[in-house]
Amino acid sequence: VSGASSPIDVTGLTNGTSYTFSVTATNTVGNGASSTPSSAVTPAITAPGLPTGISASGSNGSALVSFTAPTNTGGATITGYTVTATPVAGGTPITASGASSPIDVTGLANGTAYTFTVVATNTVGNGASSTPSSAVTPAPIAPGVPTSISASGSNGSATVSFTAPSNGGSAITGYT
């Protein structure tokens, strides 16, 4: 690309591709020597592409969402990801953010099926939303371990006392 003076606008470059630039001066005698190349520049950075391979595994009131980062970063470093959990039967979506895969999405209702989408963000903004994951239903987990166990004996029996554990997201129905 030629121009009469500085600056010169170079067009037709591929967004997200890194370039260096050299300048050569021309007069009536001809071209001078080429300058030292500039530092690398990436023109017209765009939002990143979409993450792929979305999968989730549910636990008590949450889901751990894994994904593969987009191959197209838009020419800039991805600064984070946002996961959206959408109830299959309708309702208010829940979001969670993180720097990389996997991301733990909390505040989900046990017994409710959710699909998950992921959006990558760079300095330009949010990219396209991923294809939704298969539906996952968070469910309670087994209760924790009782603590502070003590026993007192009497004629042919014992009374056992303890502190109840975490219920794992579901009411404890009994002890053995």
Side-chain angles (χ1 to χ4, degrees):
V1 174
S2 299
S5 63
S6 177
I8 297 172
D9 189 22
V10 180
T11 61
L13 303 177
T14 302
N15 292 338
T17 300
S18 181
Y19 295 91
T20 60
F21 302 90
S22 298
V23 178
T24 303
T26 304
N27 65 16
T28 57
V29 175
N31 293 335
S34 191
S35 70
T36 303
S38 68
S39 298
V41 173
T42 304
I45 296 172
T46 61
L50 56 92
T52 57
I54 314 306
S55 66
S57 58
S59 61
N60 183 33
S62 67
L64 192 61
V65 179
S66 299
F67 53 90
T68 301
T71 54
N72 174 10
T73 65
T77 301
I78 292 177
T79 57
Y81 298 90
T82 302
V83 175
T84 301
T86 304
V88 172
T92 304
I94 295 172
T95 61
S97 298
S100 62
S101 176
I103 295 175
D104 192 25
V105 182
T106 60
L108 304 178
N110 288 333
T112 299
Y114 294 86
T115 59
F116 301 88
T117 56
V118 182
V119 171
T121 304
N122 66 14
T123 54
V124 171
N126 293 335
S129 182
S130 70
T131 301
S133 70
S134 297
V136 171
T137 304
I141 58 175
V145 176
T147 58
S148 303
I149 311 300
S150 64
S152 60
S154 62
N155 185 19
S157 68
T159 300
V160 179
S161 300
F162 54 89
T163 300
S166 160
N167 68 13
S170 179
I172 294 176
T173 58
Y175 296 92
T176 304

